[in-house]
Amino acid sequence: MNAKQGAALAIVGSLIVIALAASFLSASPAKVTYNAPALAVHASLGETASDGTIALRLNGISDASDPATSSVWIKFNNGSVVYDLSLTPPPASRYLVANVTVTNVHHTKIPFDYGDFVLIARDGTAYYANYAVCNKGCSAQALQNSALNETFASDVYVLFSVPTATQPVQIAYTGANPPIVLSST
């Protein structure tokens, strides 16, 4: 191979790398969706659904800027030893908080992870929980030890960071078997 052929090959290779990089950088990020399995347990807003181990009731979803929501978040977050989170969302985002009553109906200690909550938007996009708060007794079990004792029952406030225009339609708890899907309407 002579110098001209080598230079031409280097130029062609560089152009291919640049074209691939440009297509990668211009591609929009993949939308994550959640499709509940056919056997999922469903309930509407204010109704309780259970997999026989854990029972969940969605009491509502509200914007964290709502004064009632922010006061509850601040009350529980101030006593938290897990983390301290401001309710000021990043630019072009907002925080939605789901108030979910969580009850252990299995009567023995069971695992629990607030990270198993998924907010499902009207367009099908799934957003996984960022944080959760609850009262001191709840926090010690559900948030620090990731387990619920046999008599556990408490409201848990689960925070999701979403784009500003997001309209929530469901909350799913994927840690249940089968998963539990709660409609927000």
Side-chain angles (χ1 to χ4, degrees):
M1 176 184 305
N2 65 34
K4 285 185 180 182
Q5 289 173 329
L9 188 56
I11 291 171
V12 169
S14 296
L15 290 174
I16 290 172
V17 168
I18 290 170
L20 288 173
S23 68
F24 176 75
L25 292 174
S26 66
S28 59
K31 181 169 89 169
V32 176
T33 58
Y34 176 77
N35 296 310
L39 296 176
V41 180
H42 293 267
S44 296
L45 180 69
E47 295 178 349
T48 301
S50 175
D51 70 344
T53 301
I54 191 169
L56 303 173
R57 181 181 70 229
L58 178 62
N59 302 311
I61 301 173
S62 57
D63 193 293
S65 65
D66 176 87
T69 302
S70 62
S71 68
V72 168
W73 184 270
I74 291 166
K75 173 184 169 186
F76 290 136
N77 193 42
N78 284 342
S80 174
V81 295
V82 179
Y83 48 75
D84 184 22
L85 174 77
S86 158
L87 286 179
T88 305
S93 297
R94 70 179 178 149
Y95 288 146
L96 294 178
V97 177
N99 173 348
V100 182
T101 301
V102 178
T103 306
N104 178 348
V105 295
H106 194 57
H107 307 297
T108 61
K109 189 175 183 178
I110 61 170
F112 175 78
D113 186 350
Y114 74 83
D116 289 336
F117 279 104
V118 180
L119 181 137
I120 302 152
R122 186 174 312 283
D123 69 357
T125 304
Y127 300 94
Y128 289 82
N130 296 87
Y131 300 100
V133 296
C134 51
N135 67 41
K136 188 175 180 179
C138 162
S139 183
Q141 290 182 61
L143 306 183
Q144 292 172 314
N145 295 332
S146 299
L148 310 178
N149 71 23
E150 55 277 351
T151 60
F152 184 90
S154 183
D155 281 355
V156 177
Y157 298 85
V158 185
L159 182 134
F160 301 88
S161 178
V162 300
T164 305
T166 301
Q167 295 300 315
V169 294
Q170 294 177 323
I171 297 289
Y173 183 68
T174 62
N177 186 18
I180 298 172
V181 179
L182 307 167
S183 295
S184 64
T185 56

